[in-house]
Amino acid sequence: MKKKVLSAILSVAMVAALLVGCTTKSPVKEDEKDAEKKDSYKVGVTIQSLENDYWAGVFGEVEKMLKDKGWDYTIVDCKDNSATQISQIENFITAGCDLIMVHPSDPDAVEDVCKQALDAGVKVMCWDDKMENTTANWVLDNTELGITIAKPAADFINEHYSADNKAEVCVIGYPQTPILLERENGILEGLKGAEGKYEVVAQIEGLEANDAQTNVETVLQAHPNCKVFVTIGAGSDIGANQALLTKYNGNIPEDCGIFSGDATEQQMRAIKSGKEASNTTVGFEGSNTRTAKACVGMYEKILNGDDFSGEKHNIFRPFVVINADNVDEYLADYDKK
């Protein structure tokens, strides 16, 4: 009898041990847990437009980096349409993304759907806008950026023009987007460094190169002596440069120049040539590769649980002014490929 009881006890103990083995995970070291998490990351990215030279260049590099990491990712644009972007974010939530990065067409329009993502346990990163319903915002001080873009333009005007021979200036912006309106207003402020030596004869739109070229050609018809163009970004720089190359048959006058933001490879190669209108551009990390690396670094910090609460919620990006003196340093990133 005692043997039967002992046998029964041992049987129960064995079953219990098996059950515990089925339901309890063995201890995992912290670095092993991190590796498991990183292998399973799923990222959804929605941006305004892949037709924009800056965005296309940066996210071509981001895609390469995510592919190298073995992450599951989707990168789409919304054609600057908020309804489309909301639908894209909803799809990312349904797909079980670990992180959603949004470059908002309209930040107010996507606040609610980004809150839905947070409520579903998805981390949310905003590029460019100080949104509320995000894990972290990766932003620029756009007023200061505009001032920084305009300072070399003001120096150029002071060098080539005077109160008796004022520069005719065209400012190219995109006021539909709040942050770009801030940037444009910063440009207007920064130009005051050449007070009394210039006149803004036109303020036009030009986010993409083709639109900017067409609009600059119209300005040049109305103001044939307009030679200084100060722009918010890559598309407007590239478009204006082409319009000016056409106007001057490839012989850009010394008192003609374009001053811009973004610092894409095409902009920097135009600066390096010394034969085009592009004069100075302001980048944020310096090249598409450097910006992509910094962006993916933000993904890693957010996914690893870094603290972005309170004042840490808005992460401000740095500026770098790129001209003929230092352009080779940043073009080297492209020449290595």
Side-chain angles (χ1 to χ4, degrees), residues 126-155:
C126 178
W127 181 320
D128 263 358
D129 290 276
K130 298 174 185 176
M131 289 182 58
E132 179 180 348
N133 292 302
T134 57
T135 308
N137 301 319
W138 205 41
V139 297
L140 298 164
D141 182 333
N142 276 281
T143 299
E144 190 60 35
L145 173 56
I147 293 170
T148 304
I149 290 169
K151 186 181 184 306
D155 292 343

Side-chain angles (χ1 to χ4, degrees), residues 166-202:
K166 291 185 179 180
E168 293 189 14
V169 177
C170 174
V171 175
I172 310 175
Y174 195 71
Q176 297 93 319
T177 301
I179 60 164
L180 296 182
L181 178 58
E182 289 177 19
R183 194 177 303 180
E184 183 176 351
N185 288 335
I187 286 171
L188 294 170
E189 181 65 28
L191 283 170
K192 293 178 181 178
E195 192 73 60
K197 298 180 183 178
Y198 73 95
E199 179 186 359
V200 176
V201 297

Side-chain angles (χ1 to χ4, degrees), residues 4-254:
K4 289 182 179 180
V5 171
L6 181 60
S7 176
I9 291 171
L10 289 171
S11 296
V12 171
M14 289 173 65
V15 170
L18 287 170
L19 289 173
V20 171
C22 291
T23 58
T24 303
K25 294 181 180 179
S26 58
V28 180
K29 294 179 181 178
E30 287 301 314
D31 56 349
E32 291 175 349
K33 286 196 291 185
D34 287 345
E36 289 172 2
K37 285 178 64 180
K38 289 178 181 178
D39 286 343
S40 66
Y41 285 160
K42 188 171 187 177
V43 178
V45 176
T46 169
I47 61 179
Q48 283 183 13
S49 173
L50 284 170
E51 294 178 11
N52 179 280
D53 296 271
Y54 175 69
W55 283 94
V58 169
F59 276 87
E61 294 300 312
V62 167
E63 182 172 14
K64 291 176 188 176
M65 293 177 188
L66 296 182
K67 189 177 293 184
D68 287 345
K69 286 179 172 294
W71 291 9
D72 186 359
Y73 64 89
T74 302
I75 299 173
V76 294
D77 72 355
C78 69
K79 309 298 182 189
D80 208 8
N81 183 291
S82 294
T84 299
Q85 193 159 56
I86 289 169
S87 178
Q88 290 168 342
I89 295 169
E90 289 172 340
N91 289 339
F92 289 151
I93 297 170
T94 302
C97 284
D98 300 298
L99 169 70
I100 295 171
M101 194 212 88
V102 56
H103 172 232
S105 173
D106 177 354
D108 291 337
V110 297
E111 283 282 9
D112 287 346
V113 72
C114 286
K115 185 177 187 304
Q116 292 173 29
L118 292 176
D119 290 345
V122 182
K123 296 181 185 295
V124 179
M125 169 181 162
C126 178
W127 181 320
D128 263 358
D129 290 276
K130 298 174 185 176
M131 289 182 58
E132 179 180 348
N133 292 302
T134 57
T135 308
N137 301 319
W138 205 41
V139 297
L140 298 164
D141 182 333
N142 276 281
T143 299
E144 190 60 35
L145 173 56
I147 293 170
T148 304
I149 290 169
K151 186 181 184 306
D155 292 343
F156 182 84
I157 292 168
N158 285 328
E159 179 182 355
H160 293 283
Y161 295 91
S162 65
D164 297 328
N165 176 35
K166 291 185 179 180
E168 293 189 14
V169 177
C170 174
V171 175
I172 310 175
Y174 195 71
Q176 297 93 319
T177 301
I179 60 164
L180 296 182
L181 178 58
E182 289 177 19
R183 194 177 303 180
E184 183 176 351
N185 288 335
I187 286 171
L188 294 170
E189 181 65 28
L191 283 170
K192 293 178 181 178
E195 192 73 60
K197 298 180 183 178
Y198 73 95
E199 179 186 359
V200 176
V201 297
Q203 285 182 250
I204 60 173
E205 294 179 13
L207 190 61
E208 314 297 351
N210 289 340
D211 293 337
Q213 181 176 345
T214 299
N215 293 341
V216 168
E217 288 169 347
T218 300
V219 170
L220 291 172
Q221 289 173 3
H223 304 279
N225 293 321
C226 184
K227 294 181 181 178
V228 179
F229 292 78
V230 194
T231 81
I232 55 169
S236 45
D237 182 344
I238 292 166
N241 187 44
Q242 188 55 54
L244 290 165
L245 285 169
T246 300
K247 173 180 171 62
Y248 292 108
N249 295 315
N251 298 308
I252 301 296
E254 287 188 2

